[in-house]
Amino acid sequence: MPNNYQPDPKLKFTFGLWTVGNVGRDPFGGPVRETISPVEICDLLGEVGAYGVNFHDNDLVPIDAGQTQRDDIVRSFKRALKDNGLVVPMATTNLFGDAVFKDGAFTSNNAQIRAYAIQKTMRAMDLGAECGAKIYVFWGGREGVESDATKNPIDAIKRFREAINFLCEYSIEQKYGYKFAFEAKPNEPRGHIYFAVTGSYLAFIPTLDHPDMCGVNPEVAHEHMAGLNFVHQVAAALEAGKLFHIDLNDQEFGRYDQDFRFGSVNLKHAFFLVKLLEDQRYNGPRHFDAHAFRQSDYADVKEFARGCMRTYMILKEKAQRWNADKEIQQIVKTVNVQDSALSKLTAKYSKGNAQKLLDAPLDRIELAAAPLPYERLDQLTMEVLMGVR
Ligand code: GLT
Ligand code: MN
Ligand code: MN
């Protein structure tokens, strides 16, 4: 049967309210699309076949809403979720938009602002849990500095840890069952943001009171802004059992945070990313944290959303093709030289193994002569991607 690349619910394709609801504001210009309500966003996502929707507290409930307004909004949102067959896998807190957070939230120099940030997050966790969220994302957009004269970077780490430890206990006590996922970004909107890359969080997590509850939410654009190979960052998270969520989009290297449609810039990176996630049977949500071009109207925003999911589905098929390609697999097999006797020696240290290894007749000149037809392998990969294989 020909694949029509329809979004597969098993792949859990999600969008944030802020993604398809993005009105195209940038630092140099105001909105170019009218604001659409959370209910209208659910209708849009239902129409394109998404699996779920995520939100910041204030994407759904305005920061100054009273209890009745909040409850009315939540009621109509939940109805819209049901009408469109959507779920809410992830929620998060807006700790960056309001003026109070101009110098950070959990890492602010002001103890009262730090307390307010924790209070706001507890309320946002209540809201997320009410809508069914099980993953809670922390993106520290304002947790940084323009000048290191303004904040002690060691204090910042300690303050951040204290906030997370507090919120872990809150989640446990409320029985929310949240998994926390930390999202790194090197800069923008701050000159320098703490925990600049995913690896920073992977190193931070073991220092927390509840490391098992905590993982990462890497975003393509953010690691590319840092000039890193995103696939390798995701591999590190997967290998550590810490990939709790992922923000898929695309990004030119060396630019501002572009949040482009998934796979629209670096097709080869996107291919290896999809291949990694699928080969490793990643089972969490695949969240498209991206938005349409500023030129698009809402009809085109739907094309943008369909495009993210469709590209993923197509790349998943390409990965299967790569895995099934006889010539490709033959090369992979040839370059992965096996030697069970030596592997047994190096698998675990013992005095005896060390001695045997020291005595092993390993000839570096002979070893260096083994062929590595990587040009051929890479070209075959490109031909799979270009659709001629
Ligand atoms: C903001 C940021 C994203 C984060 C969102 C979660 S908000 O759009 O640029 O990468 O994932 O707070
Ligand atoms: Mn981004
Ligand atoms: Mn993101």
Side-chain angles (χ1 to χ4, degrees):
M1 202 179 85
N3 193 338
N4 57 9
Y5 307 118
Q6 285 305 306
D8 179 351
K10 287 202 283 299
L11 296 179
K12 300 180 186 158
F13 290 139
T14 63
F15 292 84
L17 284 179
W18 71 93
T19 63
V20 284
N22 182 290
V23 291
R25 202 179 279 112
D26 75 11
F28 303 95
V32 289
R33 291 183 280 270
E34 72 276 18
T35 302
I36 56 172
S37 70
V39 169
E40 289 171 305
I41 296 174
C42 288
D43 292 343
L44 187 156
L45 291 176
E47 191 182 328
V48 300
Y51 166 85
V53 59
N54 310 310
F55 56 80
H56 299 87
D57 49 354
N58 305 136
D59 297 339
L60 189 59
V61 180
I63 196 165
D64 49 7
Q67 190 65 35
T68 326
Q69 190 191 353
R70 175 206 185 272
D71 293 345
D72 286 349
I73 292 172
V74 173
R75 204 172 311 117
S76 58
F77 181 64
K78 279 183 157 177
R79 199 175 319 120
L81 292 173
K82 210 164 162 225
D83 290 348
N84 289 287
L86 296 167
V87 294
V88 175
M90 176 272 260
T92 183
T93 328
N94 186 325
L95 294 173
F96 44 87
D98 194 85
V100 70
F101 299 126
K102 62 179 181 255
D103 192 29
F106 300 148
T107 67
S108 164
N109 278 332
N110 183 329
Q112 293 167 342
I113 293 176
R114 295 200 296 276
Y116 172 66
I118 297 174
Q119 179 195 73
K120 188 174 192 287
T121 304
M122 288 194 288
R123 293 194 173 130
M125 285 167 68
D126 300 343
L127 178 66
E130 209 176 318
C131 296
K134 288 286 173 209
I135 299 165
Y136 207 84
V137 162
F138 291 83
W139 173 63
R142 298 280 177 196
E143 313 290 15
V145 292
E146 285 64 46
S147 161
D148 284 317
T150 66
K151 213 180 281 174
N152 180 326
I154 299 273
D155 286 348
I157 296 169
K158 290 188 189 307
R159 290 168 181 170
F160 194 83
R161 181 184 296 115
E162 198 176 279
I164 296 302
N165 284 339
F166 191 97
L167 292 165
C168 280
E169 298 294 348
Y170 183 68
S171 175
I172 292 167
E173 199 168 86
Q174 298 297 315
K175 302 197 171 29
Y176 285 155
Y178 276 127
K179 289 201 153 221
F180 287 4
F182 303 117
E183 178 176 347
K185 185 173 175 181
N187 57 271
E188 198 197 303
R190 299 303 300 260
H192 307 273
I193 300 180
Y194 299 127
F195 303 103
V197 294
T198 295
S200 321
Y201 280 122
L202 290 176
F204 172 70
I205 289 169
T207 74
L208 293 168
D209 288 348
H210 294 281
D212 293 350
M213 269 179 72
C214 298
V216 292
N217 175 39
E219 173 173 318
V220 180
H222 299 177
E223 305 293 317
H224 283 190
M225 285 168 77
L228 298 180
N229 178 316
F230 186 66
V231 178
H232 295 188
Q233 306 311 304
V234 174
L238 276 168
E239 206 272 337
K242 290 297 180 193
L243 190 70
F244 288 3
H245 197 262
I246 190 161
D247 277 2
L248 301 172
N249 56 18
D250 217 340
Q251 172 78 22
E252 300 273 5
F253 280 87
R255 301 285 166 102
Y256 64 95
D257 186 20
Q258 295 175 305
D259 294 336
F260 283 150
R261 191 179 74 258
F262 179 61
S264 61
V265 182
N266 294 290
L267 199 53
K268 194 172 173 185
H269 286 307
F271 166 73
F272 283 114
L273 175 61
V274 171
K275 181 168 146 41
L276 178 72
L277 294 174
E278 296 305 316
D279 287 351
Q280 295 300 313
R281 301 185 198 290
Y282 167 73
N283 190 31
R286 289 156 177 81
H287 173 223
F288 296 105
D289 188 8
H291 46 76
F293 296 143
R294 198 161 181 265
Q295 297 76 18
S296 300
D297 59 14
Y298 279 108
D300 207 33
V301 170
K302 287 182 202 163
E303 290 309 312
F304 148 84
R306 288 194 183 100
C308 286
M309 297 186 284
R310 197 173 152 78
T311 297
Y312 192 102
M313 298 293 298
I314 295 169
L315 291 175
K316 180 173 182 263
E317 188 192 78
K318 297 284 180 200
Q320 283 159 357
R321 198 173 281 261
W322 196 95
N323 288 341
D325 189 296
K326 290 211 166 59
E327 189 178 350
I328 289 177
Q329 291 312 315
Q330 186 52 48
I331 299 176
V332 170
K333 201 167 164 225
T334 316
V335 297
N336 280 282
V337 177
Q338 304 294 331
D339 188 313
S340 55
L342 278 176
S343 294
K344 228 169 137 190
L345 280 189
T346 53
K348 194 162 167 58
Y349 183 86
S350 72
K351 234 174 157 183
N353 281 352
Q355 192 52 54
K356 280 187 201 148
L357 184 55
L358 286 169
D359 296 340
L362 293 165
D363 182 327
R364 75 171 213 289
I365 297 185
E366 207 179 289
L367 291 173
L372 290 172
Y374 286 173
E375 284 292 354
R376 179 74 187 147
L377 180 58
D378 190 63
Q379 178 65 21
L380 291 173
T381 302
M382 293 309 292
E383 293 194 7
V384 168
L385 264 180
M386 291 186 288
V388 297
R389 229 182 135 74

